Amino acid sequence: MLPNPRLILEMLFPYLKIAAAYAVEVQPKIAARPSKESDSFFGAALSDADLSIQTLVEVALLGAFPNIRFYGEEYEQSYNTKYFRAITLGEKDDYLVTLDPIDGTQFYLDGHSNYQIIVGVLNWDEFEAAIAITPAQNTYCFAFRGQGCWQGTLDAGLASGQPLKIAKTSPTILLGWGMEALAPKLKDDYAVIDVATSYSDEVQIPNVNGMLSGDLAGAVTRAGKFIDSAALAFLAQEAGCIVTTHTGAALPPLHDCEDYSRPGLVIAASATVHQHLLEAIASLSEASA
């Protein structure tokens, strides 16, 4: 019998706390590893912590649930990929566990505090659960499908989490890599952070996780990778945010997606912000037609 999403997260939580403590401890002296292939320096970044945390989670999963499906970001370099039953989506209720061991590796390498460890539990059509831990801030957010988003501190367990309500947001929009052309169309109404030009190794900027903290009113990403931005979008949606594709359509089911990624995402804290983002995207498309 396969484990359910809650059992998976509850089993992993103590190990994720250990991973978080490790990430904090080694961050000041962390070593970067040779970059991966990517069209951005964010995607190319790789550290010892990425590989070590993935190994810890893999060992925990294989020991507790040896028949589980698992896909980790560093699967190509992992010693354990071959021991999992599969790394792909399964049929209904044959869950795939995903992991981004350090979401925001470049943030991490530059000493910033908003990197995260993200675990997802994916059904064939949609996320069933996700948890995003922010080690340097000693916090976590988690959600189960249709049950809202919850938050807590790493000193306690999942059962002590409290409902996450995004009551107030900064009038700030985050544009992911490749979406920088939208900036001129939004800057009159919002402070715009374009990661391609705004990133600094000295001054911290929000990542997509800023949607959960209230640091962002909206975000636009070029794609929604299962392991990170799609998982954070799921958490934001469960917290009450609006999440759609760039056209305003509902997100396609996971099994209709390719390369472990949903299409580009629009995440907004309100209907007004969502409409502004869609209008900016539409006007850009019209101009390039």
Side-chain angles (χ1 to χ4, degrees):
M1 184 175 179
L2 295 172
N4 61 52
R6 183 172 292 275
L7 184 60
I8 293 170
L9 288 196
E10 288 178 345
M11 186 283 296
L12 281 177
F13 190 72
Y15 297 97
L16 295 174
K17 289 175 63 174
I18 292 171
Y22 157 82
V24 171
E25 173 63 26
V26 304
Q27 186 179 16
K29 46 200 171 189
I30 194 68
R33 298 183 65 86
S35 297
K36 299 176 290 186
E37 285 191 18
S38 178
D39 59 357
S40 77
F41 63 88
F42 288 106
L46 178 64
S47 74
D48 289 342
D50 293 270
L51 298 172
S52 297
I53 291 173
Q54 177 152 328
T55 298
L56 173 62
V57 172
E58 289 170 336
V59 170
L61 281 171
L62 285 167
F65 311 123
N67 292 318
I68 200 80
R69 293 172 177 265
F70 175 76
Y71 173 74
E73 182 178 30
E74 312 307 337
Y75 74 97
E76 291 179 316
Q77 300 191 54
S78 168
Y79 293 124
N80 297 301
T81 299
K82 59 183 174 290
Y83 299 123
F84 287 98
R85 179 163 59 93
I87 64 171
T88 56
L89 286 173
E91 298 298 319
K92 187 176 183 300
D93 297 337
D94 185 3
Y95 305 114
L96 171 69
V97 177
T98 61
L99 172 71
D100 191 337
I102 297 285
D103 176 49
T105 299
Q106 193 61 54
F107 288 79
Y108 183 70
L109 291 171
D110 289 334
H112 298 320
S113 67
N114 64 338
Y115 64 92
Q116 296 192 301
I117 301 169
I118 303 175
V119 172
V121 183
L122 283 57
N123 212 330
W124 77 303
D125 61 336
E126 185 54 87
F127 282 81
E128 290 291 347
I131 184 168
I133 291 175
T134 309
Q137 300 171 21
N138 195 42
T139 60
Y140 67 87
C141 297
F142 74 94
F144 292 98
R145 186 175 182 177
Q147 298 180 37
C149 189
W150 302 73
Q151 62 183 344
T153 65
L154 292 176
D155 302 324
L158 293 180
S160 66
Q162 299 297 313
L164 173 61
K165 302 295 183 183
I166 306 172
K168 187 177 181 180
T169 61
S170 168
T172 303
I173 301 298
L174 176 72
L175 300 178
W177 194 275
M179 303 309 302
E180 54 271 14
L182 293 175
K185 302 181 180 299
L186 296 165
K187 65 181 182 180
D188 289 343
D189 298 307
Y190 302 95
V192 178
I193 298 173
D194 158 25
V195 297
T197 60
S198 300
Y199 185 79
S200 166
D201 59 2
E202 298 179 352
V203 180
Q204 181 170 298
I205 63 173
N207 203 344
V208 176
N209 54 34
M211 290 301 307
L212 300 171
S213 63
D215 291 329
L216 298 174
V220 182
T221 68
R222 183 174 57 178
K225 292 169 62 179
F226 290 178
I227 61 169
D228 47 42
S229 54
L232 292 172
F234 167 75
L235 291 170
Q237 189 169 43
E238 288 290 333
C241 292
I242 301 168
V243 181
T244 67
T245 68
H246 287 182
T247 65
L251 301 182
L254 299 177
H255 59 77
D256 282 348
C257 300
E258 297 181 355
D259 196 26
Y260 299 93
S261 181
R262 277 179 153 159
L265 301 175
V266 176
I267 310 170
S270 71
T272 299
V273 174
H274 184 246
Q275 186 61 34
H276 287 167
L277 295 177
L278 292 182
E279 288 172 355
I281 293 169
S283 64
L284 187 64
S285 299
E286 291 168 2
S288 61

